[in-house]
Amino acid sequence: MLYLSAAIALTGWARHNQSEDHDQTPALHAADTASKSDTMPDPDHLTLRDYEGADLDACMMIWREASQVAHPFLSPDELDADGDITRAHYIPAARITMAELRGVPAGFIAMKGDYIAALFVHPRYHRKGIGRTLLDHVRADRADIDVDVYLDNRQARAFYRAAGFQEFCCFMRDARDRPLPVVRLRLAA
């Protein structure tokens, strides 16, 4: 792991999942890129609520649709394998908040302590402020928040930077040991 200044520096793989609150899951980020208040959804139609077991299929559909857009460098087979792991391990291990637009699941954020394990918004709802609303919801009661994002996922990196996150380190390989660099960002109080 190498700490970053203005440019992103890359170094060898360092597993971060030794901490129970920080499981490196960069394949789980396709945040909506909206950052301006004029793109906020109508508060009368957007609701946030806790995840329920019946939401698993909706979360996986949102995850897949958003992952195909945000991670074009992953093959369909890689997305299938990542989806199996997400369904079996990541979703059950996280505290999830669902975003519904007019009663339809539109996105979700999954937290493990102060770590964003996943933030996904269905592509049809991108740029409507749903990702920012989910992020604001979880940051209200946390001092520091970390998130890992693929280096090539420029939209997600821009989304987090616009929300005040700073890139501070990078790994050469993702959590599946693929040669895909992953950037860690932090929002500090």
Side-chain angles (χ1 to χ4, degrees):
M1 185 167 30
L2 187 69
Y3 292 89
L4 300 178
S5 58
I8 295 176
L10 303 176
T11 186
W13 169 249
R15 288 220 179 257
H16 182 66
N17 61 1
Q18 295 171 347
S19 165
E20 63 184 313
D21 288 340
H22 290 79
D23 187 12
Q24 186 182 10
T25 56
L28 299 181
H29 297 282
D32 133 22
T33 58
S35 63
K36 297 186 179 188
S37 61
D38 62 348
T39 61
M40 292 301 290
D42 180 349
D44 293 332
H45 298 292
L46 181 72
T47 57
L48 301 182
R49 63 171 178 79
D50 289 339
Y51 171 89
E52 299 170 358
D55 294 321
L56 180 59
D57 288 340
C59 283
M60 292 307 301
M61 183 273 302
I62 292 166
W63 174 86
R64 181 61 181 237
E65 294 293 323
S67 290
Q68 289 174 180
V69 171
H71 308 133
F73 44 84
L74 294 177
S75 72
D77 288 342
E78 288 172 313
L79 286 174
D80 289 344
D82 288 356
D84 292 343
I85 293 167
T86 299
R87 177 182 289 276
H89 300 288
Y90 294 132
I91 296 287
R95 177 170 174 94
I96 299 172
T97 301
M98 300 293 296
E100 291 184 340
L101 194 56
R102 294 181 182 90
V104 176
F108 68 93
I109 189 166
M111 299 296 297
K112 287 189 72 180
D114 293 335
Y115 179 78
I116 300 173
L119 173 52
F120 283 98
V121 174
H122 192 285
R124 91 172 53 116
Y125 303 116
H126 280 187
R127 303 200 56 82
K128 298 193 182 307
I130 295 170
R132 186 59 181 259
T133 299
L134 285 163
L135 183 58
D136 289 346
H137 173 73
V138 300
R139 68 194 273 191
D141 62 349
R142 290 173 173 82
D144 297 335
I145 300 175
D146 286 356
V147 63
D148 291 343
V149 179
Y150 282 115
L151 179 66
D152 286 343
N153 188 347
R154 289 178 180 84
Q155 287 185 340
R157 288 174 50 218
F159 167 81
Y160 287 113
R161 283 194 309 265
F165 284 73
Q166 294 183 2
E167 297 178 357
F168 73 94
C169 67
C170 190
F171 304 99
M172 285 297 291
R173 303 183 79 77
D174 73 0
R176 312 286 184 277
D177 202 28
R178 296 177 290 218
L180 298 169
V182 175
V183 177
R184 172 139 322 137
L185 297 97
R186 175 170 290 155
L187 178 66

